[in-house]
Structures are given as C-alpha cells and as structure tokens.
Amino acid sequence: EPEVTQTPSHQVTQMGQEVILRCVPISNHLYFYWYRQILGQKVEFLVSFYNNEISEKSEIFDDQFSVERPDGSNFTLKIRSTKLEDSAMYFCASSGTENTNTQYFGPGTRLTVL
Amino acid sequence: GENVEQHPSTLSVQEGDSAVIKCTYSDSASNYFPWYKQELGKRPQLIIDIRSNVGEKKDQRIAVTLNKTAKHFSLHITETQPEDSAVYFCAASDGGGGKLIFGQGTELSVKP
C-alpha cells in the first residue's frame, strides 16, 4: 500500500538557521498538507497546497514559512530562520482525487531547535 | 473558524470494556469527521471516518456516531484490547481537500 514518506526523521538545528523538511506524497494525490504537533499537544494545521499553489494557511504559517513542489514527487516545507518555538513534529499529509477528504499522514520529522 | 473540543483527555478501561470518546465542533459547514489513532512516536493513522449525510458508521469493534443538529460526534470502541492503547484524535473538515481541525486528543489506556 502506498504511503507518504518524509525525510529526515529527525533534524537538529541552531536558532536562526534555515531548515527544509521534505515529503513525498502518495503518487496520484493532488492535495498536500503540512501539520505540526508540539510534544504532548494536538495536531495543528499549517498549510494546504493544490494545483501548485497554497490553497489555505493558518496563522502559524507566517512569512518565515514557505512550501514548494519542486518536481512531480516532492513537497517541501522551508523555515527560513528557526525559533525555539518551532521545535515540534512536522507531519506531511496528502489526499487523492477519488476521495479528497481522506488525508494520509507521513511518519513525521522531529525538528529540534537549539 | 472551526473549533473542535474533545473529551475526555485521558480514559482508562479494563480489557473487554467499551470506551467512548466525544467531540464537538463549532462550524456548521464541516461535513467530514475522521478519527485518527496515534501510537507513541508514530504518525496519526485513520481508523474510521463519517460524512455528514450519515448518522452512524461501524467497522468491526469501532463505530462513530454523528449528531449534526447538536454538532457532536463520538467514537465507540467495544471489547477493548491492550493494543487499542494510544492517543485518539477527532477532527473536522469542510471537505473537498480542506484542512483538518483536530481535537486535543484522548489518551486511552486499556489495562489487561
């Protein structure tokens, strides 16, 4: 069964550094999402992406964040200048054409900002 | 915007008992309500979902009920097993590729 994949599984960075989190959505899916989960808290929506543009973003997704689909398979989340409070688990998700509702989550990237 | 409240935050049951987790939502435009199970350090896994044109859905030991008028939906797990122990999240969406808004999660512990 196809799955969403994410790399790296764990990223440690210094405050102020740029990070890029990578995702490979399920191959025939058209809707892509990033969510984050601070340790012990609920999953929070960051951004959704469809037809090569952002379709919706949350208040968390400020101008320090950006997303890109650089080719036909990857979907990336960039944080330009990381802050301590960006430390969280970041999940990528995708949903398909036949059922646009059902979102499948990747294994996550744990981002630690020191 | 949409807000989803989930209760209880923790739930402990004996193996074989039933467990019920409840969620309420605020936006009447929401029409899709999935439930995810998250084991420690792992991805959220969809276990069951329901759309607003259906009042109840069942899959083996798991069922979900939806009351659109009251804007609440519930997860029911019967004959619980230790492997059901995890954090369960409800979510709501207005569908069509829209974002999921999650509840706060319920940590379910099933004691053998």
Side-chain angles (χ1 to χ4, degrees):
Chain A
E1 187 174 328
E3 286 190 330
V4 177
T5 59
Q6 289 184 245
T7 54
S9 57
H10 192 189
Q11 173 93 47
V12 181
T13 190
Q14 294 290 327
M15 190 169 55
Q17 294 296 304
E18 175 183 287
V19 294
I20 297 176
L21 310 183
R22 302 179 193 279
C23 168
V24 179
I26 294 173
S27 64
N28 62 345
H29 283 186
L30 298 179
Y31 296 84
F32 314 116
Y33 313 84
W34 284 100
Y35 293 85
R36 79 170 186 191
Q37 185 178 33
I38 295 170
L39 189 63
Q41 297 186 22
K42 67 178 178 180
V43 179
E44 299 175 288
F45 169 75
L46 293 178
V47 65
S48 56
F49 192 86
Y50 171 72
N51 201 25
N52 284 320
E53 61 183 22
I54 290 174
S55 46
E56 190 171 4
K57 58 185 180 180
S58 71
E59 293 174 352
I60 303 167
F61 194 90
D62 61 23
D63 54 11
Q64 292 300 308
F65 291 85
S66 62
V67 289
E68 197 176 37
R69 186 152 164 84
D71 53 42
S73 59
N74 290 284
F75 181 49
T76 62
L77 174 70
K78 182 193 290 186
I79 309 175
R80 287 190 185 81
S81 177
T82 50
K83 307 185 194 79
L84 296 176
E85 53 266 36
D86 293 328
S87 295
M89 181 74 94
Y90 288 80
F91 291 105
C92 174
S94 69
S95 64
T97 51
E98 289 184 10
N99 182 353
T100 58
N101 289 323
T102 303
Q103 295 184 24
Y104 297 91
F105 282 72
T109 294
R110 178 163 299 286
L111 176 65
T112 302
V113 182
L114 302 175
Chain B
E2 175 65 281
N3 184 48
V4 178
E5 298 287 335
Q6 182 173 346
H7 300 280
S9 55
T10 60
L11 180 58
S12 182
V13 299
Q14 288 294 132
E15 183 177 0
D17 287 352
S18 294
V20 180
I21 303 170
K22 299 183 178 184
C23 288
T24 60
Y25 62 99
S26 61
D27 190 349
S28 55
S30 291
N31 58 21
Y32 173 68
F33 307 94
W35 286 87
Y36 285 84
K37 175 184 180 182
Q38 187 179 33
E39 296 174 354
L40 192 63
K42 298 199 173 176
R43 75 183 82 193
Q45 295 267 20
L46 178 72
I47 56 171
I48 195 166
D49 57 12
I50 192 166
R51 287 164 177 75
S52 60
N53 58 347
V54 175
E56 184 173 355
K57 184 176 177 181
K58 191 172 180 181
D59 183 4
Q60 299 183 346
R61 296 186 297 110
I62 295 173
V64 57
T65 58
L66 171 65
N67 183 327
K68 282 176 56 181
T69 304
K71 295 198 188 76
H72 65 72
F73 55 113
S74 302
L75 177 71
H76 304 253
I77 306 174
T78 58
E79 301 171 28
T80 53
Q81 300 165 4
E83 51 265 39
D84 293 330
S85 297
V87 178
Y88 290 80
F89 289 96
C90 64
S93 168
D94 59 8
K99 65 182 183 288
L100 295 175
I101 300 299
F102 283 84
Q104 295 89 335
T106 296
E107 184 173 2
L108 174 64
S109 175
V110 180
K111 299 190 186 308

